């Protein structure tokens, strides 16, 4: 059996991809056997962590990749950078705390929630991302196909559930009841990030049921962090500066 075959049999793909390079480095730098072996193990660990991240990232179904580093806190002074960096440790997931981001459209809520979800994936946490409309439709679909229990159990086991764009559409009474099940099942058992453009007092407009709305809010805000995004649209400001740059460039030409 060749070395390649042995590495394949032992499922050491990280070492398999890098051992020739590591051998050359070891020879050039006169590494000890211990240093050589440790570097091979490091390569395997990095490979497995990358594979795990890619698998978790794919399962999360984010609409796009966003990171904390990409977010321009200078242009969004209403966001506390230190607080967001602290949340990126993902300790809130271990503590089963919720995050509620409240603010207007384009202020960075979705960017930061995805970025926190990406960090969670890097730390080996399972994440699921839905818009409120997508989740509502999925719940109704699962109920109609008699798979609701299985789907709710799946969401219950996810380390972090992100619900984006809560407040842009009104939900039917049936959808509200199903959404309540999600919040109830995850209460003190798993973290949720909710992005909304509406203050809590306006939530009855979404769920169209005062009693159910109160129950949902009660479960969400207990043991949670609430962050407000009050400022000019971060997305609009970026686009405006981009267009201004293009116009200036055109004038110079």
């Amino acid at each position: 059996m060749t070395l390649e075959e042995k590495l394949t049999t032992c499922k050491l793909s990280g070492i398999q991809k890098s051992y020739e390079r590591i051998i050359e480095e070891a020879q050039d730098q006169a590494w000890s056997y211990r240093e050589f072996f440790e570097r091979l193990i490091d390569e395997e660990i990095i490979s497995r962590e990358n594979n795990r991240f890619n698998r978790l990232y794919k399962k999360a179904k984010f609409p796009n990749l966003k990171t904390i580093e990409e977010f321009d806190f200078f242009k969004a002074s209403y966001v506390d950078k230190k607080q967001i960096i602290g949340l990126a440790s993902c300790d809130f997931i271990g503590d089963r705390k919720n995050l509620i981001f409240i603010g207007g459209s384009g202020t960075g809520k979705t960017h930061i929630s995805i970025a926190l979800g990406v960090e969670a994936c890097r730390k080996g946490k399972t994440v699921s991302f839905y818009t409120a409309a997508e989740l509502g439709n999925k719940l109704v679909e699962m109920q109609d196909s008699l798979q609701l229990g299985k789907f709710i159990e799946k969401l219950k086991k996810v380390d972090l559930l992100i619900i984006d764009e809560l407040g842009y559409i009104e939900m039917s009474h049936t959808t509200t009841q199903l959404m309540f099940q999600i919040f109830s099942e995850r209460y003190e058992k798993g973290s949720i990030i909710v992005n909304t453009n509406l203050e809590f007092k306006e939530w009855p407009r979404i769920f169209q049921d005062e009693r159910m709305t109160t129950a949902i809010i009660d479960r969400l805000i207990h043991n949670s962090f609430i962050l407000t995004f009050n400022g000019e649209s971060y997305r609009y400001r970026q686009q405006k500066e981009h267009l201004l740059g293009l116009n200036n460039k055109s004038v110079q030409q």
Side-chain angles (χ1 to χ4, degrees), residues 57-208:
Y57 177 82
K58 184 177 180 180
K59 286 185 176 181
K61 296 184 178 179
F62 298 114
N64 42 49
L65 175 62
K66 298 290 185 181
T67 66
I68 298 295
E69 292 76 17
E70 292 174 336
F71 191 81
D72 193 337
F73 288 92
F74 180 76
K75 294 177 182 177
S77 57
Y78 48 83
V79 178
D80 187 334
K81 181 177 181 179
K82 184 176 180 181
Q83 185 177 35
I84 299 301
I85 296 299
L87 291 173
S89 69
C90 296
D91 289 343
F92 73 94
I93 297 176
D95 295 336
R96 297 180 177 84
K97 291 182 179 291
N98 299 323
L99 304 180
I100 305 174
F101 296 162
I102 303 175
S105 177
T107 50
K109 303 184 302 298
T110 300
H111 183 131
I112 289 178
S113 63
I114 291 176
L116 293 176
V118 169
E119 288 302 314
C121 289
R122 294 191 195 283
K123 292 174 171 56
K125 306 291 185 182
T126 53
V127 182
S128 285
F129 180 98
Y130 291 92
T131 65
E134 287 172 341
L135 182 56
N137 290 337
K138 186 71 173 180
L139 287 166
V140 172
E141 178 188 329
M142 291 295 101
Q143 183 181 54
D144 291 344
S145 60
L146 304 180
Q147 300 181 62
L148 181 61
K150 183 178 179 180
F151 180 66
I152 290 179
E153 189 63 25
K154 177 183 176 182
L155 286 186
K156 182 180 175 181
K157 293 178 180 178
V158 171
D159 294 314
L160 175 62
L161 173 63
I162 302 175
I163 303 176
D164 194 28
E165 298 181 353
L166 183 68
Y168 289 92
I169 63 165
E170 296 179 355
M171 297 185 179
S172 68
H173 183 66
T174 297
T175 305
T176 293
Q177 289 181 318
L178 295 175
M179 289 288 283
F180 173 75
Q181 287 189 54
I182 297 299
F183 294 123
S184 182
E185 288 290 338
R186 291 188 64 82
Y187 178 57
E188 296 190 319
K189 297 173 185 173
S191 295
I192 302 176
I193 296 179
V194 172
N195 299 324
T196 180
N197 63 322
L198 299 179
E199 298 288 342
F200 292 124
K201 64 183 179 181
E202 300 177 274
W203 281 29
R205 283 170 41 194
I206 309 171
F207 300 111
Q208 304 186 67

